């Protein structure tokens, strides 16, 4: 663009802001691209943009965006000058603030995009421009890659299996020991640098160092994928790390899951190979010229560095006497290193990592460090956490400090490790023996633990000697829930810790034993609970792709994705999560893309699974109602037929529900005919289901387990006329069989709290949620749990499958806290919280609940207090959202808002009375309700 044109555009842009700036009621903020703030190196060519409109006057009501305008430029200067050389959307009459698809110039590899947005309010007054945001594109095609995959091969010989499993395991672990690889390269820069970007993938795991400094703060990078389909590269801006003259770059490579941590036990794991890397640093000089430093045979590699062993299950061993401090600096003597060998590229496509990376999120100080016996110390982190420890130690060269980890202690105060199975969870640090304090933390392992055993420490460790480094995907935390019941507050804290401890770029089942897999069943509804705890949109969009990547050509979807454990059992419930996650993304974020993208694969799975049907039903089920409270406290799985829900009942009920989800998705993407077919099929199955399982004389399904009633009630399979009877029986059972405690396993737990509340018994849900005797979440806490257990009887059951940090039994409890107690629910007809349903339940002795949800439209708040029949309720709805608000009340006349009749309040419209609630339609804003309830 010519300068004069630039100036004109600048004036125009500035003026359009100026004229209206004072008057506008809204301002756009928190600009995101593909759910992230200023992401680097994306490869979505039609990325989706979003922003939040904030109220200029926080008290204002009824704020609405009526139009927006996006401008995007190839540089910050151009953007600020209003020169939109990439996109000017013009003024778009629309209330949308999320999921706005890029419609500017096609975005090619390496494109830099600076963008901002202006919005118009309900009186058509324009806001000022938002702050600038940016994103950059990565390398979009294979042809962009000049780098070659390099590494250092190694052949391993696994000893033949014998009858002695224990010994086999030990030999296998020894055979899999592999030191970290280091690769380096020096290069000269003679021209000043404008921008330097490193595109890197190192699998299993990598760290990039430039001139002695680490690039970025990601850990356990890159994120896990189904490696035969997809491998992530990560983009780091390394401009500030480069210098004129001599430079050096180094890559540190760990094993991760590429070099499988186990091959045979507990189940065979896929081995992809030795660690390998590809890197390309692209340097643009101020004079417009370019230099590229890419991996190839001229790089030097060694495995003689300090990381002698690294394994996600077993730990890391670091010998600081082998450090080569200057290895990523120019001038280092690498003559003893070897030339890198080109290695086989992974089968999977190299694509951009778009979800958040893992990071060290928080650092905990130990609550205590005690000497148990001479030289053996136990540190208590006070919290079952996931990550590792940072060690600070001074001592003689060659001394080795060993750290071992466990979730609990034995009665004698030593670590309890039986439930970790074969995971050795042992980190070792050998001191270099300088006079000063040596600080070390591992890179290529992680542990789930509360207690740390320290041995070999020169002198006595104190609380200053170790710190707990909490590691998980760096997604935006949102959890905000408090109520008058402290036990429930602690349960909420346990949920939060459990959920974050099981993010390892995939949702894992557990973080501590020799497993840590992405089990689908554990997240079917828990993923919706998670949507209130963190912003999980990018994370679950990514996992949904992992699941599709792991689907077999015939349609089979595994129980574990990525399928590092190859469990293709073709049951319904676990793979069914593949069909439930897109619904969560749609409801909570208004995201249609997951439905659109995965619809064909989801449909393929449904059609494939229909092949297993018999007599109109499907009996494919591997796990039943996994981990119901058993009859004997030592058991993992119940053998009591009265507690076991029939497999065909579970599989068929789920399949009907899943087909109905498909019908809903089909309608959303304009496949009405297919939707009708799914509906018909589901209806036929429902008839067969009722015929086969329902016993009208009893009002029960099959043998009448609690789950056998919860599923038909939740999925709408019970005829209207029978619902009250079935529900009544469920309540009776919960009382007689479980004394108002939990009586379900993973399957029932996904729906239980809502099934009770939706049928008028939120009080019973509350009683069950807050029991402190066995079984229940409160019981876990009474036994010292700071996370959620895998087993209701985790304190007494066999250690063979008994994790202290599992999320599956959270079920829909997280949803219940936020959507029922606080009452913050998405309206699935106007998803992404464009319209909110505010409908709290106020059970039992609860006197207040205060919670918020950082929705894509902004923060929704709910804070109610109850004193006898009197209720006060403060509600905040972000600008550009509306709500249907259910105020518990005897009549609409009883409700006041900010001291005056609610029916006449600005922004509110009384709609109707419904089940003891005065229902209002509300515009955005803050409201203070007072009412008197019927009871
Ligand atoms: C266990 C896992 C997981 C569960 C499967 C079926 O191994 O821990 O939680 O989904 O079994």
């Amino acid at each position: 663009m010519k300068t004069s044109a630039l100036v004109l555009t600048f004036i125009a842009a500035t003026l359009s802001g100026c004229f209206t700036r004072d008057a506008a009621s809204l301002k756009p903020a928190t600009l995101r691209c593909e759910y992230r703030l200023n992401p680097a190196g994306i490869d979505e060519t039609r990325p989706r943009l979003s922003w939040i409109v904030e109220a200029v006057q926080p008290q204002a009501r009824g704020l609405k965006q009526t139009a927006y305008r996006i401008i995007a430029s190839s540089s910050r200067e151009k953007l600020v000058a209003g020169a939109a050389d990439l996109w000017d959307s013009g003024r778009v009459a629309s209330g949308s603030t999320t999921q706005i698809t890029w419609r500017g110039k096609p975005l090619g590899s390496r494109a830099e995009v600076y963008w901002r947005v202006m919005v118009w309010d309900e009186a058509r007054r324009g806001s000022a421009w938002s702050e600038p945001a940016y994103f950059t594109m990565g390398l979009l095609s294979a042809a962009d890659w000049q780098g070659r995959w390099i590494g250092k091969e190694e052949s391993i010989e696994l000893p033949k299996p014998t009858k002695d499993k224990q010994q086999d395991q030990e030999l296998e672990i020894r055979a899999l020991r592999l030191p970290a690889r280091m690769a380096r390269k020096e290069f000269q820069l003679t021209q000043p640098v404008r921008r330097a970007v490193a595109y890197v993938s190192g699998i299993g795991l990598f760290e990039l160092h430039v001139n002695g400094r680490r690039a970025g703060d990601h850990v356990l990078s890159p994120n896990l994928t189904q490696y035969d389909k997809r491998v992530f590269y990560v983009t780091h801006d390394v401009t500030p790390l480069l210098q004129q003259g001599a430079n050096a770059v180094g890559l540190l490579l760990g094993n991760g899951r590429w070099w499988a941590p186990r091959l045979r036990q507990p189940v065979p794991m896929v081995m992809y190979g030795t660690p390998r890397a590809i890197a390309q640093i692209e340097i643009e000089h101020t004079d417009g010229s370019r230099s590229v430093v890419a991996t190839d045979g001229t790089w030097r590699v060694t495995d003689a560095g300090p990381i002698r062993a690294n394994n996600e299950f077993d730990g890391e061993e670091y010998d600081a006497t082998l450090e080569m401090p200057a290895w990523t600096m120019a001038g280092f003597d690498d003559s003893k290193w070897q030339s890198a060998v080109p290695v086989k590229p992974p089968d999977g496509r190299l694509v951009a990592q778009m979800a958040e990376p893992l990071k060290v999120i928080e650092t905990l100080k130990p609550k205590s460090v005690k000497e148990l016996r001479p030289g053996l110390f136990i540190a208590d982190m006070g919290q079952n956490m996931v990550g590792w420890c940072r060690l600070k130690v001074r001592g003689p060269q060659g001394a080795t400090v060993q750290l071992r980890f466990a979730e609990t202690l034995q009665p004698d105060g030593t670590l309890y490790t039986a439930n970790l199975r074969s995971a050795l969870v042992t980190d070792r640090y050998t001191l270099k023996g300088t006079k000063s304090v040596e600080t070390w933390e591992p890179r290529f392992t992680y542990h789930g633990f509360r207690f740390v055993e320290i041995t070999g420490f020169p002198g006595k460790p104190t609380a200053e000697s170790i710190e707990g480094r909490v590691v998980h995907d760096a997604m935006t935390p949102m959890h905000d829930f408090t109520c008058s019941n402290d036990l429930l507050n602690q349960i909420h804290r346990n949920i939060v810790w459990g959920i974050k401890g099981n993010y390892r770029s995939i949702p894992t089942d557990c973080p501590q034993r020799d497993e840590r897999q992405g089990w689908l069943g554990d997240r079917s509804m828990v993923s919706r609970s998670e949507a209130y705890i963190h912003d999980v949109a990018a994370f679950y969009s990514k996992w949904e792709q992992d699941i599709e990547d792991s689907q077999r050509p015939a349609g089979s979807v595994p129980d574990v994705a990525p399928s590092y454990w190859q469990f293709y059992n073709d049951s319904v419930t676990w793979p069914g999560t593949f069909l439930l996650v897109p619904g969560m993304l749609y409801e909570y974020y208004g995201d249609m893309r997951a439905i659109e993208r995965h619809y064909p694969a989801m449909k393929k799975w449904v059609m494939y699974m229909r092949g297993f049907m018999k007599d109109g039903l499907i009996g494919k089920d591997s796990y039943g109602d996994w981990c119901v409270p058993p009859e004997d406290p030592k058991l993992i799985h119940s053998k009591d037929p009265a507690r076991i829900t029939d497999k065909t009942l579970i599989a068929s009920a789920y399949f009907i529900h899943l087909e109905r989800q498909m019908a809903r998705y089909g309608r959303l993407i304009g496949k009405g005919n297919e939707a009708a077919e799914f509906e018909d099929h589901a209806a036929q199955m429902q008839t067969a289901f009722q015929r086969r399982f329902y016993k009208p004389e009893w009002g029960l399904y099959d043998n009448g387990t609690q789950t056998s009633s919860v599923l038909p009630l939740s999925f709408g399979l019970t005829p209207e006329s029978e619902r009250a009877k079935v529900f009544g029986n469920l309540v009776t059972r919960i009382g007689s069989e479980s004394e108002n405690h939990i009586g379900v396993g993973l399957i029932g737990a996904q729906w239980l709290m809502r099934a009770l509340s939706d049928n008028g018994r939120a009080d019973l849900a509350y009683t069950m949620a807050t029991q402190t005797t066995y079984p229940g979440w409160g019981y876990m806490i009474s036994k010292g749990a700071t996370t959620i257990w895998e087993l209701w009887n985790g304190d007494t059951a066999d250690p063979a499958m008994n994790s202290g940090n599992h999320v599956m039994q959270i079920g829909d409890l997280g949803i219940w806290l936020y959507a029922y107690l606080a009452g913050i629910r998405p309206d699935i007809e106007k998803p992404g919280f464009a319209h909110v349903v505010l409908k709290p339940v106020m059970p039992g002795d609860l006197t207040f609940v205060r919670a918020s949800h950082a929705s894509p439209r902004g923060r929704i708040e709910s804070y109610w207090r109850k004193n006898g029949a009197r209720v006060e309720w403060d509600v905040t709805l972000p600008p550009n959202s509306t709500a249907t608000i259910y105020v518990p009340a005897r009549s609409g006349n009883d409700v006041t808002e900010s001291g005056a009749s609610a029916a006449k309040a600005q922004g509110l419209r009384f709609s109707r009375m419904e089940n003891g609630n005065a229902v209002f339609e509300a515009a955005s804003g803050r409201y203070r309700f007072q009412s008197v309830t019927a009871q």
Side-chain angles (χ1 to χ4, degrees), residues 509 513 515 519 522 565 574 623 626 746 790 801 806 808:
D509 61 332
R513 67 179 179 225
E515 183 158 359
W519 284 94
D522 301 33
W565 283 16
W574 262 242
Y623 308 111
W626 192 242
L746 178 156
E790 177 173 26
M801 196 194 86
H806 239 68
M808 64 191 196

PDB file of all heavy atoms in Angstrom, residues 509 513 515 519 522 565 574 623 626 746 790 801 806 808, ligand 1:
ATOM      1  N   ASP A 509      -6.253 -41.912  32.598  1.00  0.00           N
ATOM      2  CA  ASP A 509      -7.033 -42.525  33.678  1.00  0.00           C
ATOM      3  C   ASP A 509      -6.372 -42.268  35.022  1.00  0.00           C
ATOM      4  O   ASP A 509      -7.035 -42.053  36.021  1.00  0.00           O
ATOM      5  CB  ASP A 509      -7.211 -44.031  33.449  1.00  0.00           C
ATOM      6  CG  ASP A 509      -5.891 -44.785  33.418  1.00  0.00           C
ATOM      7  OD1 ASP A 509      -4.861 -44.189  33.052  1.00  0.00           O
ATOM      8  OD2 ASP A 509      -5.877 -45.985  33.769  1.00  0.00           O
ATOM      9  N   ARG A 513       0.549 -45.218  38.216  1.00  0.00           N
ATOM     10  CA  ARG A 513       0.980 -46.604  38.009  1.00  0.00           C
ATOM     11  C   ARG A 513       1.431 -46.814  36.554  1.00  0.00           C
ATOM     12  O   ARG A 513       1.513 -45.856  35.780  1.00  0.00           O
ATOM     13  CB  ARG A 513      -0.137 -47.577  38.398  1.00  0.00           C
ATOM     14  CG  ARG A 513      -1.342 -47.494  37.500  1.00  0.00           C
ATOM     15  CD  ARG A 513      -2.405 -48.505  37.911  1.00  0.00           C
ATOM     16  NE  ARG A 513      -3.575 -48.409  37.073  1.00  0.00           N
ATOM     17  CZ  ARG A 513      -4.826 -48.403  37.527  1.00  0.00           C
ATOM     18  NH1 ARG A 513      -5.075 -48.463  38.821  1.00  0.00           N
ATOM     19  NH2 ARG A 513      -5.840 -48.326  36.691  1.00  0.00           N
ATOM     20  N   GLU A 515       0.344 -47.308  33.752  1.00  0.00           N
ATOM     21  CA  GLU A 515      -0.807 -47.295  32.841  1.00  0.00           C
ATOM     22  C   GLU A 515      -0.925 -45.925  32.167  1.00  0.00           C
ATOM     23  O   GLU A 515      -0.483 -45.763  31.049  1.00  0.00           O
ATOM     24  CB  GLU A 515      -2.078 -47.672  33.598  1.00  0.00           C
ATOM     25  CG  GLU A 515      -3.300 -47.749  32.709  1.00  0.00           C
ATOM     26  CD  GLU A 515      -4.409 -48.608  33.281  1.00  0.00           C
ATOM     27  OE1 GLU A 515      -4.244 -49.175  34.362  1.00  0.00           O
ATOM     28  OE2 GLU A 515      -5.462 -48.701  32.622  1.00  0.00           O
ATOM     29  N   TRP A 519      -8.148 -43.585  28.497  1.00  0.00           N
ATOM     30  CA  TRP A 519      -9.344 -44.452  28.485  1.00  0.00           C
ATOM     31  C   TRP A 519     -10.581 -43.616  28.192  1.00  0.00           C
ATOM     32  O   TRP A 519     -10.884 -42.662  28.907  1.00  0.00           O
ATOM     33  CB  TRP A 519      -9.505 -45.132  29.840  1.00  0.00           C
ATOM     34  CG  TRP A 519      -8.561 -46.272  30.065  1.00  0.00           C
ATOM     35  CD1 TRP A 519      -7.343 -46.220  30.683  1.00  0.00           C
ATOM     36  CD2 TRP A 519      -8.755 -47.635  29.669  1.00  0.00           C
ATOM     37  NE1 TRP A 519      -6.779 -47.464  30.698  1.00  0.00           N
ATOM     38  CE2 TRP A 519      -7.616 -48.358  30.085  1.00  0.00           C
ATOM     39  CE3 TRP A 519      -9.774 -48.322  29.002  1.00  0.00           C
ATOM     40  CZ2 TRP A 519      -7.476 -49.728  29.857  1.00  0.00           C
ATOM     41  CZ3 TRP A 519      -9.630 -49.685  28.784  1.00  0.00           C
ATOM     42  CH2 TRP A 519      -8.492 -50.370  29.209  1.00  0.00           C
ATOM     43  N   ASP A 522     -13.795 -43.226  30.864  1.00  0.00           N
ATOM     44  CA  ASP A 522     -13.632 -42.393  32.061  1.00  0.00           C
ATOM     45  C   ASP A 522     -14.105 -40.961  31.838  1.00  0.00           C
ATOM     46  O   ASP A 522     -14.334 -40.217  32.787  1.00  0.00           O
ATOM     47  CB  ASP A 522     -12.155 -42.365  32.474  1.00  0.00           C
ATOM     48  CG  ASP A 522     -11.603 -43.756  32.779  1.00  0.00           C
ATOM     49  OD1 ASP A 522     -12.052 -44.726  32.140  1.00  0.00           O
ATOM     50  OD2 ASP A 522     -10.709 -43.868  33.639  1.00  0.00           O
ATOM     51  N   TRP A 565      -2.140 -48.646  24.117  1.00  0.00           N
ATOM     52  CA  TRP A 565      -2.642 -49.962  24.515  1.00  0.00           C
ATOM     53  C   TRP A 565      -3.715 -50.282  23.480  1.00  0.00           C
ATOM     54  O   TRP A 565      -4.658 -49.508  23.335  1.00  0.00           O
ATOM     55  CB  TRP A 565      -3.277 -49.921  25.903  1.00  0.00           C
ATOM     56  CG  TRP A 565      -2.323 -49.889  27.043  1.00  0.00           C
ATOM     57  CD1 TRP A 565      -0.986 -49.593  27.000  1.00  0.00           C
ATOM     58  CD2 TRP A 565      -2.629 -50.176  28.409  1.00  0.00           C
ATOM     59  NE1 TRP A 565      -0.458 -49.670  28.257  1.00  0.00           N
ATOM     60  CE2 TRP A 565      -1.431 -50.028  29.154  1.00  0.00           C
ATOM     61  CE3 TRP A 565      -3.796 -50.547  29.090  1.00  0.00           C
ATOM     62  CZ2 TRP A 565      -1.377 -50.236  30.539  1.00  0.00           C
ATOM     63  CZ3 TRP A 565      -3.734 -50.741  30.464  1.00  0.00           C
ATOM     64  CH2 TRP A 565      -2.536 -50.603  31.175  1.00  0.00           C
ATOM     65  N   TRP A 574     -17.335 -47.515  26.183  1.00  0.00           N
ATOM     66  CA  TRP A 574     -16.083 -46.759  26.153  1.00  0.00           C
ATOM     67  C   TRP A 574     -15.905 -45.999  24.825  1.00  0.00           C
ATOM     68  O   TRP A 574     -15.792 -44.769  24.835  1.00  0.00           O
ATOM     69  CB  TRP A 574     -14.904 -47.690  26.463  1.00  0.00           C
ATOM     70  CG  TRP A 574     -14.448 -47.647  27.895  1.00  0.00           C
ATOM     71  CD1 TRP A 574     -13.217 -47.257  28.333  1.00  0.00           C
ATOM     72  CD2 TRP A 574     -15.179 -47.983  29.081  1.00  0.00           C
ATOM     73  NE1 TRP A 574     -13.154 -47.337  29.708  1.00  0.00           N
ATOM     74  CE2 TRP A 574     -14.336 -47.772  30.188  1.00  0.00           C
ATOM     75  CE3 TRP A 574     -16.475 -48.420  29.329  1.00  0.00           C
ATOM     76  CZ2 TRP A 574     -14.736 -48.005  31.507  1.00  0.00           C
ATOM     77  CZ3 TRP A 574     -16.888 -48.660  30.637  1.00  0.00           C
ATOM     78  CH2 TRP A 574     -16.016 -48.442  31.692  1.00  0.00           C
ATOM     79  N   TYR A 623     -16.915 -53.879  30.101  1.00  0.00           N
ATOM     80  CA  TYR A 623     -16.580 -53.492  31.475  1.00  0.00           C
ATOM     81  C   TYR A 623     -17.763 -53.391  32.418  1.00  0.00           C
ATOM     82  O   TYR A 623     -17.566 -53.202  33.614  1.00  0.00           O
ATOM     83  CB  TYR A 623     -15.834 -52.152  31.459  1.00  0.00           C
ATOM     84  CG  TYR A 623     -14.649 -52.153  30.503  1.00  0.00           C
ATOM     85  CD1 TYR A 623     -14.666 -51.386  29.336  1.00  0.00           C
ATOM     86  CD2 TYR A 623     -13.543 -52.944  30.767  1.00  0.00           C
ATOM     87  CE1 TYR A 623     -13.589 -51.403  28.462  1.00  0.00           C
ATOM     88  CE2 TYR A 623     -12.459 -52.970  29.884  1.00  0.00           C
ATOM     89  CZ  TYR A 623     -12.498 -52.195  28.731  1.00  0.00           C
ATOM     90  OH  TYR A 623     -11.438 -52.217  27.869  1.00  0.00           O
ATOM     91  N   TRP A 626     -18.534 -50.434  35.599  1.00  0.00           N
ATOM     92  CA  TRP A 626     -17.170 -50.592  36.113  1.00  0.00           C
ATOM     93  C   TRP A 626     -16.996 -50.057  37.543  1.00  0.00           C
ATOM     94  O   TRP A 626     -17.289 -48.893  37.803  1.00  0.00           O
ATOM     95  CB  TRP A 626     -16.249 -49.846  35.147  1.00  0.00           C
ATOM     96  CG  TRP A 626     -14.779 -50.054  35.258  1.00  0.00           C
ATOM     97  CD1 TRP A 626     -13.857 -49.096  35.558  1.00  0.00           C
ATOM     98  CD2 TRP A 626     -14.055 -51.255  35.015  1.00  0.00           C
ATOM     99  NE1 TRP A 626     -12.598 -49.633  35.517  1.00  0.00           N
ATOM    100  CE2 TRP A 626     -12.686 -50.961  35.184  1.00  0.00           C
ATOM    101  CE3 TRP A 626     -14.399 -52.570  34.668  1.00  0.00           C
ATOM    102  CZ2 TRP A 626     -11.671 -51.903  35.027  1.00  0.00           C
ATOM    103  CZ3 TRP A 626     -13.403 -53.505  34.505  1.00  0.00           C
ATOM    104  CH2 TRP A 626     -12.065 -53.169  34.685  1.00  0.00           C
ATOM    105  N   LEU A 746     -18.859 -46.673  37.412  1.00  0.00           N
ATOM    106  CA  LEU A 746     -18.564 -45.598  36.464  1.00  0.00           C
ATOM    107  C   LEU A 746     -19.768 -45.245  35.586  1.00  0.00           C
ATOM    108  O   LEU A 746     -20.056 -44.076  35.364  1.00  0.00           O
ATOM    109  CB  LEU A 746     -17.380 -46.034  35.577  1.00  0.00           C
ATOM    110  CG  LEU A 746     -16.896 -45.102  34.468  1.00  0.00           C
ATOM    111  CD1 LEU A 746     -15.448 -45.433  34.154  1.00  0.00           C
ATOM    112  CD2 LEU A 746     -17.715 -45.203  33.210  1.00  0.00           C
ATOM    113  N   GLU A 790     -10.041 -44.269  42.315  1.00  0.00           N
ATOM    114  CA  GLU A 790     -10.563 -45.135  41.255  1.00  0.00           C
ATOM    115  C   GLU A 790     -11.690 -46.026  41.795  1.00  0.00           C
ATOM    116  O   GLU A 790     -12.681 -46.271  41.115  1.00  0.00           O
ATOM    117  CB  GLU A 790      -9.420 -46.025  40.743  1.00  0.00           C
ATOM    118  CG  GLU A 790      -9.824 -47.039  39.691  1.00  0.00           C
ATOM    119  CD  GLU A 790      -8.616 -47.758  39.108  1.00  0.00           C
ATOM    120  OE1 GLU A 790      -7.583 -47.859  39.805  1.00  0.00           O
ATOM    121  OE2 GLU A 790      -8.699 -48.197  37.949  1.00  0.00           O
ATOM    122  N   MET A 801      -5.437 -52.940  41.028  1.00  0.00           N
ATOM    123  CA  MET A 801      -6.014 -51.859  40.218  1.00  0.00           C
ATOM    124  C   MET A 801      -6.666 -50.901  41.202  1.00  0.00           C
ATOM    125  O   MET A 801      -7.840 -51.014  41.513  1.00  0.00           O
ATOM    126  CB  MET A 801      -7.055 -52.423  39.235  1.00  0.00           C
ATOM    127  CG  MET A 801      -7.399 -51.440  38.124  1.00  0.00           C
ATOM    128  SD  MET A 801      -8.876 -51.880  37.199  1.00  0.00           S
ATOM    129  CE  MET A 801     -10.141 -51.127  38.224  1.00  0.00           C
ATOM    130  N   HIS A 806      -8.019 -40.815  40.144  1.00  0.00           N
ATOM    131  CA  HIS A 806      -8.751 -41.223  38.951  1.00  0.00           C
ATOM    132  C   HIS A 806      -9.943 -40.283  38.824  1.00  0.00           C
ATOM    133  O   HIS A 806     -10.470 -39.843  39.832  1.00  0.00           O
ATOM    134  CB  HIS A 806      -9.278 -42.638  39.186  1.00  0.00           C
ATOM    135  CG  HIS A 806      -8.807 -43.653  38.204  1.00  0.00           C
ATOM    136  ND1 HIS A 806      -7.499 -44.062  38.149  1.00  0.00           N
ATOM    137  CD2 HIS A 806      -9.471 -44.373  37.263  1.00  0.00           C
ATOM    138  CE1 HIS A 806      -7.390 -45.003  37.219  1.00  0.00           C
ATOM    139  NE2 HIS A 806      -8.564 -45.201  36.653  1.00  0.00           N
ATOM    140  N   MET A 808     -12.840 -40.999  36.883  1.00  0.00           N
ATOM    141  CA  MET A 808     -14.072 -41.587  36.352  1.00  0.00           C
ATOM    142  C   MET A 808     -15.245 -41.557  37.336  1.00  0.00           C
ATOM    143  O   MET A 808     -16.382 -41.370  36.948  1.00  0.00           O
ATOM    144  CB  MET A 808     -13.810 -43.008  35.871  1.00  0.00           C
ATOM    145  CG  MET A 808     -13.397 -43.974  36.966  1.00  0.00           C
ATOM    146  SD  MET A 808     -12.790 -45.527  36.272  1.00  0.00           S
ATOM    147  CE  MET A 808     -12.861 -46.582  37.726  1.00  0.00           C
TER     148      MET A 808
HETATM  149  C1  LIG B   1      -8.577 -49.379  34.037  1.00  0.00           C
HETATM  150  C2  LIG B   1      -8.396 -47.933  33.841  1.00  0.00           C
HETATM  151  C3  LIG B   1      -9.564 -47.128  33.415  1.00  0.00           C
HETATM  152  C4  LIG B   1     -10.735 -47.936  32.993  1.00  0.00           C
HETATM  153  C5  LIG B   1     -10.346 -49.255  32.440  1.00  0.00           C
HETATM  154  C6  LIG B   1     -11.488 -50.086  31.926  1.00  0.00           C
HETATM  155  O1  LIG B   1      -7.425 -50.030  33.593  1.00  0.00           O
HETATM  156  O2  LIG B   1      -7.793 -47.387  34.962  1.00  0.00           O
HETATM  157  O3  LIG B   1      -9.947 -46.195  34.366  1.00  0.00           O
HETATM  158  O4  LIG B   1     -11.408 -47.195  32.024  1.00  0.00           O
HETATM  159  O5  LIG B   1      -9.642 -49.975  33.370  1.00  0.00           O
END
